[in-house]
Amino acid sequence: MKIIADYHTHTIYSHGKGSIMDNVMIAKKKGLKKIAIADHGPKHISFGVKIKEFSKMRREIDQINDTIKGIEVLMGIESNIIGKDGTIDVPKEFLELFDIILAGYHYATYPASWKDVYPLTIVNGLGKLSKSWVKKAEKINTDAIIQAMERYPIQIITHPGAKIPIDTHRLAQAAVKTNTWLEINASHGYLSKEMIEIAKEHNVKFVISSDAHTPEMVGEVEKGILTAQSAGLTARDIVNAKEGE
């Protein structure tokens, strides 16, 4: 199995260590055909890309696509799900700037409103202390992710299950309906093998990503490939893969 695109990489615009060009040149050197710059959404505390930088990033990526041949660069964002109702932290008036939108749950994000603090922060915190709260958190989290997929043009749900408990069956069913890909994250290790096996039952499409925070890690997805293969996936199940030469 060979990965031909890395749709989840970070730069100095958020939590990464390299520039957009740094990531692009490493990706090209490693033989990738596409790369997405998917910095953290603006409501990520300390690490979120500033909304005022969106236009600058768009211009930079357009210029790179005009000058660097042999690889396509997508402007993406790893938006944060910050509301119980699936609200993400990218204002709707800016969505058209992006070529691809990723979404996931992260700690240390500003909530959409104070009413979202209890379900998305406190309940998830209690779930780490008591098993009796896990099911409550799982339902709230899964409902929020599904509503986000239904409300926004989200292409990828990042590292499902890495931060919070989710119902993989329900998430997979919704992903098929909304044509959303579920990420096998080579950094976080999620989706796990067991979750992939469940999602595969519903004919989900998967994507394997590096979640690179340094240029050198762009395209480094071997861990994700091994997990996918251990769960019985082939290149046909993974949108950014082809059969190895």
PDB file of all heavy atoms in Angstrom, residues 10-16 20 37-58 75-80 89-91 98:
ATOM      1  N   HIS A  10       0.514  20.351   9.680  1.00  0.00           N
ATOM      2  CA  HIS A  10       0.474  21.635  10.377  1.00  0.00           C
ATOM      3  C   HIS A  10       1.717  22.464  10.078  1.00  0.00           C
ATOM      4  O   HIS A  10       2.774  21.921   9.738  1.00  0.00           O
ATOM      5  CB  HIS A  10       0.371  21.403  11.888  1.00  0.00           C
ATOM      6  CG  HIS A  10      -0.898  20.743  12.306  1.00  0.00           C
ATOM      7  ND1 HIS A  10      -2.044  21.443  12.598  1.00  0.00           N
ATOM      8  CD2 HIS A  10      -1.213  19.426  12.464  1.00  0.00           C
ATOM      9  CE1 HIS A  10      -3.009  20.595  12.936  1.00  0.00           C
ATOM     10  NE2 HIS A  10      -2.520  19.358  12.854  1.00  0.00           N
ATOM     11  N   THR A  11       1.573  23.772  10.213  1.00  0.00           N
ATOM     12  CA  THR A  11       2.673  24.701   9.947  1.00  0.00           C
ATOM     13  C   THR A  11       2.796  25.716  11.085  1.00  0.00           C
ATOM     14  O   THR A  11       2.062  25.653  12.073  1.00  0.00           O
ATOM     15  CB  THR A  11       2.449  25.471   8.627  1.00  0.00           C
ATOM     16  OG1 THR A  11       1.410  26.455   8.824  1.00  0.00           O
ATOM     17  CG2 THR A  11       2.062  24.533   7.497  1.00  0.00           C
ATOM     18  N   ILE A  12       3.691  26.668  10.901  1.00  0.00           N
ATOM     19  CA  ILE A  12       3.892  27.720  11.893  1.00  0.00           C
ATOM     20  C   ILE A  12       2.668  28.608  12.057  1.00  0.00           C
ATOM     21  O   ILE A  12       2.600  29.406  13.004  1.00  0.00           O
ATOM     22  CB  ILE A  12       5.116  28.592  11.545  1.00  0.00           C
ATOM     23  CG1 ILE A  12       5.004  29.127  10.111  1.00  0.00           C
ATOM     24  CG2 ILE A  12       6.408  27.807  11.738  1.00  0.00           C
ATOM     25  CD1 ILE A  12       6.110  30.088   9.721  1.00  0.00           C
ATOM     26  N   TYR A  13       1.686  28.474  11.179  1.00  0.00           N
ATOM     27  CA  TYR A  13       0.462  29.255  11.353  1.00  0.00           C
ATOM     28  C   TYR A  13      -0.331  28.769  12.568  1.00  0.00           C
ATOM     29  O   TYR A  13      -1.207  29.475  13.054  1.00  0.00           O
ATOM     30  CB  TYR A  13      -0.403  29.190  10.102  1.00  0.00           C
ATOM     31  CG  TYR A  13       0.043  30.143   9.008  1.00  0.00           C
ATOM     32  CD1 TYR A  13       0.731  29.679   7.897  1.00  0.00           C
ATOM     33  CD2 TYR A  13      -0.229  31.505   9.101  1.00  0.00           C
ATOM     34  CE1 TYR A  13       1.140  30.551   6.889  1.00  0.00           C
ATOM     35  CE2 TYR A  13       0.177  32.391   8.106  1.00  0.00           C
ATOM     36  CZ  TYR A  13       0.860  31.907   7.003  1.00  0.00           C
ATOM     37  OH  TYR A  13       1.265  32.780   6.009  1.00  0.00           O
ATOM     38  N   SER A  14      -0.050  27.556  13.040  1.00  0.00           N
ATOM     39  CA  SER A  14      -0.696  27.101  14.276  1.00  0.00           C
ATOM     40  C   SER A  14       0.327  26.401  15.163  1.00  0.00           C
ATOM     41  O   SER A  14       1.168  27.050  15.782  1.00  0.00           O
ATOM     42  CB  SER A  14      -1.897  26.191  13.991  1.00  0.00           C
ATOM     43  OG  SER A  14      -1.526  24.967  13.372  1.00  0.00           O
ATOM     44  N   HIS A  15       0.338  25.067  15.179  1.00  0.00           N
ATOM     45  CA  HIS A  15       1.154  24.318  16.124  1.00  0.00           C
ATOM     46  C   HIS A  15       2.338  23.632  15.463  1.00  0.00           C
ATOM     47  O   HIS A  15       3.011  22.812  16.091  1.00  0.00           O
ATOM     48  CB  HIS A  15       0.252  23.271  16.816  1.00  0.00           C
ATOM     49  CG  HIS A  15       0.823  22.706  18.068  1.00  0.00           C
ATOM     50  ND1 HIS A  15       0.404  21.507  18.608  1.00  0.00           N
ATOM     51  CD2 HIS A  15       1.790  23.162  18.906  1.00  0.00           C
ATOM     52  CE1 HIS A  15       1.071  21.257  19.707  1.00  0.00           C
ATOM     53  NE2 HIS A  15       1.914  22.227  19.927  1.00  0.00           N
ATOM     54  N   GLY A  16       2.600  23.941  14.202  1.00  0.00           N
ATOM     55  CA  GLY A  16       3.686  23.294  13.487  1.00  0.00           C
ATOM     56  C   GLY A  16       4.997  24.050  13.604  1.00  0.00           C
ATOM     57  O   GLY A  16       5.041  25.188  14.083  1.00  0.00           O
ATOM     58  N   ILE A  20       4.632  26.624   5.185  1.00  0.00           N
ATOM     59  CA  ILE A  20       3.861  25.895   4.179  1.00  0.00           C
ATOM     60  C   ILE A  20       4.806  25.336   3.120  1.00  0.00           C
ATOM     61  O   ILE A  20       4.721  24.165   2.752  1.00  0.00           O
ATOM     62  CB  ILE A  20       2.796  26.811   3.540  1.00  0.00           C
ATOM     63  CG1 ILE A  20       1.738  27.203   4.572  1.00  0.00           C
ATOM     64  CG2 ILE A  20       2.144  26.115   2.342  1.00  0.00           C
ATOM     65  CD1 ILE A  20       0.700  28.184   4.061  1.00  0.00           C
ATOM     66  N   ILE A  37      -2.605  21.634   3.853  1.00  0.00           N
ATOM     67  CA  ILE A  37      -2.165  22.382   5.023  1.00  0.00           C
ATOM     68  C   ILE A  37      -3.395  22.546   5.894  1.00  0.00           C
ATOM     69  O   ILE A  37      -4.338  23.256   5.533  1.00  0.00           O
ATOM     70  CB  ILE A  37      -1.586  23.747   4.630  1.00  0.00           C
ATOM     71  CG1 ILE A  37      -0.458  23.591   3.595  1.00  0.00           C
ATOM     72  CG2 ILE A  37      -1.108  24.496   5.871  1.00  0.00           C
ATOM     73  CD1 ILE A  37       0.699  22.715   4.051  1.00  0.00           C
ATOM     74  N   ALA A  38      -3.413  21.854   7.028  1.00  0.00           N
ATOM     75  CA  ALA A  38      -4.617  21.809   7.862  1.00  0.00           C
ATOM     76  C   ALA A  38      -4.283  22.236   9.287  1.00  0.00           C
ATOM     77  O   ALA A  38      -4.233  21.428  10.212  1.00  0.00           O
ATOM     78  CB  ALA A  38      -5.215  20.401   7.846  1.00  0.00           C
ATOM     79  N   ASP A  39      -4.042  23.524   9.446  1.00  0.00           N
ATOM     80  CA  ASP A  39      -3.688  24.040  10.769  1.00  0.00           C
ATOM     81  C   ASP A  39      -4.897  24.052  11.695  1.00  0.00           C
ATOM     82  O   ASP A  39      -6.049  24.028  11.255  1.00  0.00           O
ATOM     83  CB  ASP A  39      -3.076  25.436  10.632  1.00  0.00           C
ATOM     84  CG  ASP A  39      -1.622  25.374  10.211  1.00  0.00           C
ATOM     85  OD1 ASP A  39      -0.838  24.743  10.938  1.00  0.00           O
ATOM     86  OD2 ASP A  39      -1.260  25.942   9.165  1.00  0.00           O
ATOM     87  N   HIS A  40      -4.615  24.114  12.993  1.00  0.00           N
ATOM     88  CA  HIS A  40      -5.670  24.082  13.994  1.00  0.00           C
ATOM     89  C   HIS A  40      -6.610  25.266  13.843  1.00  0.00           C
ATOM     90  O   HIS A  40      -6.187  26.388  13.557  1.00  0.00           O
ATOM     91  CB  HIS A  40      -5.068  24.119  15.405  1.00  0.00           C
ATOM     92  CG  HIS A  40      -4.373  22.855  15.790  1.00  0.00           C
ATOM     93  ND1 HIS A  40      -5.047  21.677  16.003  1.00  0.00           N
ATOM     94  CD2 HIS A  40      -3.067  22.567  15.992  1.00  0.00           C
ATOM     95  CE1 HIS A  40      -4.186  20.726  16.329  1.00  0.00           C
ATOM     96  NE2 HIS A  40      -2.967  21.239  16.326  1.00  0.00           N
ATOM     97  N   GLY A  41      -7.903  25.022  14.074  1.00  0.00           N
ATOM     98  CA  GLY A  41      -8.899  26.074  13.996  1.00  0.00           C
ATOM     99  C   GLY A  41      -8.668  27.177  15.008  1.00  0.00           C
ATOM    100  O   GLY A  41      -7.961  26.995  16.010  1.00  0.00           O
ATOM    101  N   PRO A  42      -9.275  28.337  14.796  1.00  0.00           N
ATOM    102  CA  PRO A  42      -8.967  29.532  15.591  1.00  0.00           C
ATOM    103  C   PRO A  42      -9.369  29.479  17.058  1.00  0.00           C
ATOM    104  O   PRO A  42      -8.862  30.255  17.859  1.00  0.00           O
ATOM    105  CB  PRO A  42      -9.732  30.639  14.853  1.00  0.00           C
ATOM    106  CG  PRO A  42     -10.794  29.938  14.078  1.00  0.00           C
ATOM    107  CD  PRO A  42     -10.209  28.628  13.692  1.00  0.00           C
ATOM    108  N   LYS A  43     -10.250  28.553  17.432  1.00  0.00           N
ATOM    109  CA  LYS A  43     -10.666  28.489  18.838  1.00  0.00           C
ATOM    110  C   LYS A  43      -9.799  27.551  19.676  1.00  0.00           C
ATOM    111  O   LYS A  43     -10.082  27.317  20.843  1.00  0.00           O
ATOM    112  CB  LYS A  43     -12.131  28.053  18.926  1.00  0.00           C
ATOM    113  CG  LYS A  43     -13.122  29.091  18.435  1.00  0.00           C
ATOM    114  CD  LYS A  43     -13.159  30.316  19.325  1.00  0.00           C
ATOM    115  CE  LYS A  43     -14.245  31.271  18.891  1.00  0.00           C
ATOM    116  NZ  LYS A  43     -14.342  32.470  19.784  1.00  0.00           N
ATOM    117  N   HIS A  44      -8.750  27.001  19.065  1.00  0.00           N
ATOM    118  CA  HIS A  44      -7.798  26.194  19.832  1.00  0.00           C
ATOM    119  C   HIS A  44      -6.945  27.159  20.652  1.00  0.00           C
ATOM    120  O   HIS A  44      -6.248  28.007  20.110  1.00  0.00           O
ATOM    121  CB  HIS A  44      -6.922  25.369  18.887  1.00  0.00           C
ATOM    122  CG  HIS A  44      -6.156  24.271  19.559  1.00  0.00           C
ATOM    123  ND1 HIS A  44      -5.239  24.508  20.559  1.00  0.00           N
ATOM    124  CD2 HIS A  44      -6.174  22.927  19.387  1.00  0.00           C
ATOM    125  CE1 HIS A  44      -4.720  23.366  20.967  1.00  0.00           C
ATOM    126  NE2 HIS A  44      -5.269  22.391  20.279  1.00  0.00           N
ATOM    127  N   ILE A  45      -7.003  27.016  21.967  1.00  0.00           N
ATOM    128  CA  ILE A  45      -6.290  27.948  22.835  1.00  0.00           C
ATOM    129  C   ILE A  45      -4.782  27.846  22.594  1.00  0.00           C
ATOM    130  O   ILE A  45      -4.226  26.759  22.600  1.00  0.00           O
ATOM    131  CB  ILE A  45      -6.616  27.659  24.315  1.00  0.00           C
ATOM    132  CG1 ILE A  45      -8.110  27.866  24.565  1.00  0.00           C
ATOM    133  CG2 ILE A  45      -5.797  28.556  25.242  1.00  0.00           C
ATOM    134  CD1 ILE A  45      -8.571  27.434  25.936  1.00  0.00           C
ATOM    135  N   SER A  46      -4.156  28.955  22.357  1.00  0.00           N
ATOM    136  CA  SER A  46      -2.711  29.099  22.131  1.00  0.00           C
ATOM    137  C   SER A  46      -2.272  28.688  20.729  1.00  0.00           C
ATOM    138  O   SER A  46      -1.413  29.328  20.132  1.00  0.00           O
ATOM    139  CB  SER A  46      -1.888  28.294  23.150  1.00  0.00           C
ATOM    140  OG  SER A  46      -2.135  28.736  24.457  1.00  0.00           O
ATOM    141  N   PHE A  47      -2.848  27.620  20.164  1.00  0.00           N
ATOM    142  CA  PHE A  47      -2.321  27.076  18.920  1.00  0.00           C
ATOM    143  C   PHE A  47      -3.179  27.365  17.693  1.00  0.00           C
ATOM    144  O   PHE A  47      -2.806  27.002  16.585  1.00  0.00           O
ATOM    145  CB  PHE A  47      -2.148  25.553  19.045  1.00  0.00           C
ATOM    146  CG  PHE A  47      -1.200  25.152  20.130  1.00  0.00           C
ATOM    147  CD1 PHE A  47      -1.529  24.134  21.004  1.00  0.00           C
ATOM    148  CD2 PHE A  47       0.015  25.783  20.296  1.00  0.00           C
ATOM    149  CE1 PHE A  47      -0.657  23.744  22.019  1.00  0.00           C
ATOM    150  CE2 PHE A  47       0.898  25.419  21.301  1.00  0.00           C
ATOM    151  CZ  PHE A  47       0.555  24.388  22.170  1.00  0.00           C
ATOM    152  N   GLY A  48      -4.334  27.965  17.855  1.00  0.00           N
ATOM    153  CA  GLY A  48      -5.230  28.160  16.715  1.00  0.00           C
ATOM    154  C   GLY A  48      -4.732  29.202  15.736  1.00  0.00           C
ATOM    155  O   GLY A  48      -4.170  30.233  16.117  1.00  0.00           O
ATOM    156  N   VAL A  49      -4.929  28.927  14.437  1.00  0.00           N
ATOM    157  CA  VAL A  49      -4.589  29.914  13.421  1.00  0.00           C
ATOM    158  C   VAL A  49      -5.538  31.098  13.556  1.00  0.00           C
ATOM    159  O   VAL A  49      -6.722  30.939  13.843  1.00  0.00           O
ATOM    160  CB  VAL A  49      -4.674  29.296  12.005  1.00  0.00           C
ATOM    161  CG1 VAL A  49      -6.078  28.817  11.687  1.00  0.00           C
ATOM    162  CG2 VAL A  49      -4.203  30.287  10.949  1.00  0.00           C
ATOM    163  N   LYS A  50      -5.019  32.281  13.373  1.00  0.00           N
ATOM    164  CA  LYS A  50      -5.842  33.484  13.494  1.00  0.00           C
ATOM    165  C   LYS A  50      -6.678  33.682  12.237  1.00  0.00           C
ATOM    166  O   LYS A  50      -6.187  33.503  11.115  1.00  0.00           O
ATOM    167  CB  LYS A  50      -4.959  34.703  13.748  1.00  0.00           C
ATOM    168  CG  LYS A  50      -4.228  34.657  15.090  1.00  0.00           C
ATOM    169  CD  LYS A  50      -3.323  35.861  15.253  1.00  0.00           C
ATOM    170  CE  LYS A  50      -2.715  35.912  16.649  1.00  0.00           C
ATOM    171  NZ  LYS A  50      -1.943  34.691  16.979  1.00  0.00           N
ATOM    172  N   ILE A  51      -7.935  34.043  12.420  1.00  0.00           N
ATOM    173  CA  ILE A  51      -8.828  34.235  11.283  1.00  0.00           C
ATOM    174  C   ILE A  51      -8.249  35.253  10.300  1.00  0.00           C
ATOM    175  O   ILE A  51      -8.383  35.100   9.083  1.00  0.00           O
ATOM    176  CB  ILE A  51     -10.228  34.671  11.768  1.00  0.00           C
ATOM    177  CG1 ILE A  51     -10.921  33.493  12.487  1.00  0.00           C
ATOM    178  CG2 ILE A  51     -11.091  35.161  10.608  1.00  0.00           C
ATOM    179  CD1 ILE A  51     -12.276  33.826  13.065  1.00  0.00           C
ATOM    180  N   LYS A  52      -7.575  36.262  10.808  1.00  0.00           N
ATOM    181  CA  LYS A  52      -7.023  37.290   9.933  1.00  0.00           C
ATOM    182  C   LYS A  52      -5.915  36.740   9.031  1.00  0.00           C
ATOM    183  O   LYS A  52      -5.533  37.400   8.056  1.00  0.00           O
ATOM    184  CB  LYS A  52      -6.491  38.470  10.759  1.00  0.00           C
ATOM    185  CG  LYS A  52      -5.303  38.126  11.645  1.00  0.00           C
ATOM    186  CD  LYS A  52      -4.864  39.348  12.448  1.00  0.00           C
ATOM    187  CE  LYS A  52      -3.656  39.046  13.329  1.00  0.00           C
ATOM    188  NZ  LYS A  52      -3.242  40.236  14.117  1.00  0.00           N
ATOM    189  N   GLU A  53      -5.403  35.545   9.351  1.00  0.00           N
ATOM    190  CA  GLU A  53      -4.361  34.935   8.533  1.00  0.00           C
ATOM    191  C   GLU A  53      -4.921  34.085   7.391  1.00  0.00           C
ATOM    192  O   GLU A  53      -4.167  33.645   6.518  1.00  0.00           O
ATOM    193  CB  GLU A  53      -3.457  34.043   9.412  1.00  0.00           C
ATOM    194  CG  GLU A  53      -2.798  34.750  10.574  1.00  0.00           C
ATOM    195  CD  GLU A  53      -1.580  35.566  10.153  1.00  0.00           C
ATOM    196  OE1 GLU A  53      -1.423  35.840   8.947  1.00  0.00           O
ATOM    197  OE2 GLU A  53      -0.785  35.915  11.038  1.00  0.00           O
ATOM    198  N   PHE A  54      -6.231  33.824   7.385  1.00  0.00           N
ATOM    199  CA  PHE A  54      -6.816  32.954   6.372  1.00  0.00           C
ATOM    200  C   PHE A  54      -6.501  33.426   4.955  1.00  0.00           C
ATOM    201  O   PHE A  54      -6.072  32.650   4.101  1.00  0.00           O
ATOM    202  CB  PHE A  54      -8.336  32.869   6.529  1.00  0.00           C
ATOM    203  CG  PHE A  54      -8.816  32.052   7.696  1.00  0.00           C
ATOM    204  CD1 PHE A  54     -10.161  32.017   8.027  1.00  0.00           C
ATOM    205  CD2 PHE A  54      -7.936  31.305   8.473  1.00  0.00           C
ATOM    206  CE1 PHE A  54     -10.629  31.264   9.081  1.00  0.00           C
ATOM    207  CE2 PHE A  54      -8.389  30.554   9.551  1.00  0.00           C
ATOM    208  CZ  PHE A  54      -9.743  30.535   9.853  1.00  0.00           C
ATOM    209  N   SER A  55      -6.720  34.708   4.698  1.00  0.00           N
ATOM    210  CA  SER A  55      -6.506  35.237   3.347  1.00  0.00           C
ATOM    211  C   SER A  55      -5.031  35.180   2.959  1.00  0.00           C
ATOM    212  O   SER A  55      -4.692  34.898   1.802  1.00  0.00           O
ATOM    213  CB  SER A  55      -7.023  36.682   3.254  1.00  0.00           C
ATOM    214  OG  SER A  55      -8.417  36.723   3.423  1.00  0.00           O
ATOM    215  N   LYS A  56      -4.157  35.444   3.914  1.00  0.00           N
ATOM    216  CA  LYS A  56      -2.716  35.376   3.653  1.00  0.00           C
ATOM    217  C   LYS A  56      -2.313  33.957   3.276  1.00  0.00           C
ATOM    218  O   LYS A  56      -1.544  33.740   2.326  1.00  0.00           O
ATOM    219  CB  LYS A  56      -1.948  35.848   4.883  1.00  0.00           C
ATOM    220  CG  LYS A  56      -0.431  35.796   4.727  1.00  0.00           C
ATOM    221  CD  LYS A  56       0.257  36.249   6.010  1.00  0.00           C
ATOM    222  CE  LYS A  56       1.768  36.138   5.894  1.00  0.00           C
ATOM    223  NZ  LYS A  56       2.438  36.522   7.167  1.00  0.00           N
ATOM    224  N   MET A  57      -2.824  32.986   4.003  1.00  0.00           N
ATOM    225  CA  MET A  57      -2.524  31.588   3.707  1.00  0.00           C
ATOM    226  C   MET A  57      -3.054  31.202   2.320  1.00  0.00           C
ATOM    227  O   MET A  57      -2.381  30.497   1.569  1.00  0.00           O
ATOM    228  CB  MET A  57      -3.135  30.679   4.774  1.00  0.00           C
ATOM    229  CG  MET A  57      -2.513  30.838   6.143  1.00  0.00           C
ATOM    230  SD  MET A  57      -3.334  29.802   7.390  1.00  0.00           S
ATOM    231  CE  MET A  57      -2.775  28.172   6.880  1.00  0.00           C
ATOM    232  N   ARG A  58      -4.264  31.677   2.000  1.00  0.00           N
ATOM    233  CA  ARG A  58      -4.843  31.376   0.692  1.00  0.00           C
ATOM    234  C   ARG A  58      -3.954  31.893  -0.434  1.00  0.00           C
ATOM    235  O   ARG A  58      -3.703  31.193  -1.417  1.00  0.00           O
ATOM    236  CB  ARG A  58      -6.231  32.004   0.617  1.00  0.00           C
ATOM    237  CG  ARG A  58      -7.001  31.835  -0.699  1.00  0.00           C
ATOM    238  CD  ARG A  58      -7.547  30.437  -0.854  1.00  0.00           C
ATOM    239  NE  ARG A  58      -6.638  29.553  -1.567  1.00  0.00           N
ATOM    240  CZ  ARG A  58      -6.894  28.257  -1.780  1.00  0.00           C
ATOM    241  NH1 ARG A  58      -8.006  27.710  -1.307  1.00  0.00           N
ATOM    242  NH2 ARG A  58      -6.046  27.519  -2.434  1.00  0.00           N
ATOM    243  N   MET A  75      -5.576  24.106   0.567  1.00  0.00           N
ATOM    244  CA  MET A  75      -5.728  24.875   1.798  1.00  0.00           C
ATOM    245  C   MET A  75      -6.830  24.213   2.615  1.00  0.00           C
ATOM    246  O   MET A  75      -7.979  24.155   2.207  1.00  0.00           O
ATOM    247  CB  MET A  75      -6.093  26.325   1.523  1.00  0.00           C
ATOM    248  CG  MET A  75      -6.298  27.119   2.815  1.00  0.00           C
ATOM    249  SD  MET A  75      -6.302  28.885   2.561  1.00  0.00           S
ATOM    250  CE  MET A  75      -6.888  29.458   4.165  1.00  0.00           C
ATOM    251  N   GLY A  76      -6.434  23.681   3.755  1.00  0.00           N
ATOM    252  CA  GLY A  76      -7.388  23.044   4.648  1.00  0.00           C
ATOM    253  C   GLY A  76      -7.338  23.662   6.017  1.00  0.00           C
ATOM    254  O   GLY A  76      -6.617  24.623   6.269  1.00  0.00           O
ATOM    255  N   ILE A  77      -8.119  23.097   6.908  1.00  0.00           N
ATOM    256  CA  ILE A  77      -8.086  23.522   8.301  1.00  0.00           C
ATOM    257  C   ILE A  77      -8.593  22.365   9.152  1.00  0.00           C
ATOM    258  O   ILE A  77      -9.512  21.640   8.745  1.00  0.00           O
ATOM    259  CB  ILE A  77      -8.928  24.787   8.544  1.00  0.00           C
ATOM    260  CG1 ILE A  77      -8.669  25.340   9.946  1.00  0.00           C
ATOM    261  CG2 ILE A  77     -10.423  24.511   8.320  1.00  0.00           C
ATOM    262  CD1 ILE A  77      -9.123  26.783  10.129  1.00  0.00           C
ATOM    263  N   GLU A  78      -7.961  22.146  10.287  1.00  0.00           N
ATOM    264  CA  GLU A  78      -8.468  21.164  11.237  1.00  0.00           C
ATOM    265  C   GLU A  78      -9.337  21.913  12.238  1.00  0.00           C
ATOM    266  O   GLU A  78      -8.881  22.354  13.295  1.00  0.00           O
ATOM    267  CB  GLU A  78      -7.335  20.424  11.946  1.00  0.00           C
ATOM    268  CG  GLU A  78      -7.864  19.282  12.809  1.00  0.00           C
ATOM    269  CD  GLU A  78      -6.803  18.581  13.628  1.00  0.00           C
ATOM    270  OE1 GLU A  78      -5.675  19.110  13.754  1.00  0.00           O
ATOM    271  OE2 GLU A  78      -7.113  17.509  14.163  1.00  0.00           O
ATOM    272  N   SER A  79     -10.589  22.091  11.848  1.00  0.00           N
ATOM    273  CA  SER A  79     -11.502  22.850  12.687  1.00  0.00           C
ATOM    274  C   SER A  79     -11.827  22.084  13.965  1.00  0.00           C
ATOM    275  O   SER A  79     -11.737  20.856  14.018  1.00  0.00           O
ATOM    276  CB  SER A  79     -12.793  23.160  11.916  1.00  0.00           C
ATOM    277  OG  SER A  79     -13.459  21.965  11.543  1.00  0.00           O
ATOM    278  N   ASN A  80     -12.193  22.833  14.981  1.00  0.00           N
ATOM    279  CA  ASN A  80     -12.558  22.240  16.266  1.00  0.00           C
ATOM    280  C   ASN A  80     -14.072  22.187  16.406  1.00  0.00           C
ATOM    281  O   ASN A  80     -14.764  23.157  16.080  1.00  0.00           O
ATOM    282  CB  ASN A  80     -11.990  23.093  17.412  1.00  0.00           C
ATOM    283  CG  ASN A  80     -10.484  23.140  17.400  1.00  0.00           C
ATOM    284  OD1 ASN A  80      -9.824  22.152  17.647  1.00  0.00           O
ATOM    285  ND2 ASN A  80      -9.921  24.308  17.087  1.00  0.00           N
ATOM    286  N   ASP A  89     -15.391  25.885  14.655  1.00  0.00           N
ATOM    287  CA  ASP A  89     -14.836  27.219  14.927  1.00  0.00           C
ATOM    288  C   ASP A  89     -14.385  27.969  13.681  1.00  0.00           C
ATOM    289  O   ASP A  89     -13.557  28.884  13.774  1.00  0.00           O
ATOM    290  CB  ASP A  89     -13.686  27.130  15.930  1.00  0.00           C
ATOM    291  CG  ASP A  89     -12.516  26.295  15.452  1.00  0.00           C
ATOM    292  OD1 ASP A  89     -12.671  25.573  14.451  1.00  0.00           O
ATOM    293  OD2 ASP A  89     -11.443  26.348  16.095  1.00  0.00           O
ATOM    294  N   VAL A  90     -14.944  27.628  12.517  1.00  0.00           N
ATOM    295  CA  VAL A  90     -14.690  28.403  11.309  1.00  0.00           C
ATOM    296  C   VAL A  90     -15.985  29.114  10.938  1.00  0.00           C
ATOM    297  O   VAL A  90     -16.971  28.452  10.589  1.00  0.00           O
ATOM    298  CB  VAL A  90     -14.235  27.513  10.142  1.00  0.00           C
ATOM    299  CG1 VAL A  90     -14.001  28.355   8.894  1.00  0.00           C
ATOM    300  CG2 VAL A  90     -12.980  26.743  10.513  1.00  0.00           C
ATOM    301  N   PRO A  91     -16.014  30.441  11.011  1.00  0.00           N
ATOM    302  CA  PRO A  91     -17.238  31.161  10.634  1.00  0.00           C
ATOM    303  C   PRO A  91     -17.655  30.823   9.203  1.00  0.00           C
ATOM    304  O   PRO A  91     -16.812  30.660   8.321  1.00  0.00           O
ATOM    305  CB  PRO A  91     -16.816  32.633  10.762  1.00  0.00           C
ATOM    306  CG  PRO A  91     -15.692  32.619  11.750  1.00  0.00           C
ATOM    307  CD  PRO A  91     -14.957  31.346  11.488  1.00  0.00           C
ATOM    308  N   PHE A  98     -11.507  27.564   1.781  1.00  0.00           N
ATOM    309  CA  PHE A  98     -10.809  26.299   1.977  1.00  0.00           C
ATOM    310  C   PHE A  98     -11.125  25.284   0.894  1.00  0.00           C
ATOM    311  O   PHE A  98     -12.258  25.176   0.427  1.00  0.00           O
ATOM    312  CB  PHE A  98     -11.157  25.728   3.353  1.00  0.00           C
ATOM    313  CG  PHE A  98     -10.718  26.612   4.486  1.00  0.00           C
ATOM    314  CD1 PHE A  98     -11.584  27.545   5.034  1.00  0.00           C
ATOM    315  CD2 PHE A  98      -9.427  26.541   4.978  1.00  0.00           C
ATOM    316  CE1 PHE A  98     -11.179  28.380   6.056  1.00  0.00           C
ATOM    317  CE2 PHE A  98      -9.008  27.369   6.001  1.00  0.00           C
ATOM    318  CZ  PHE A  98      -9.878  28.298   6.539  1.00  0.00           C
TER     319      PHE A  98
END
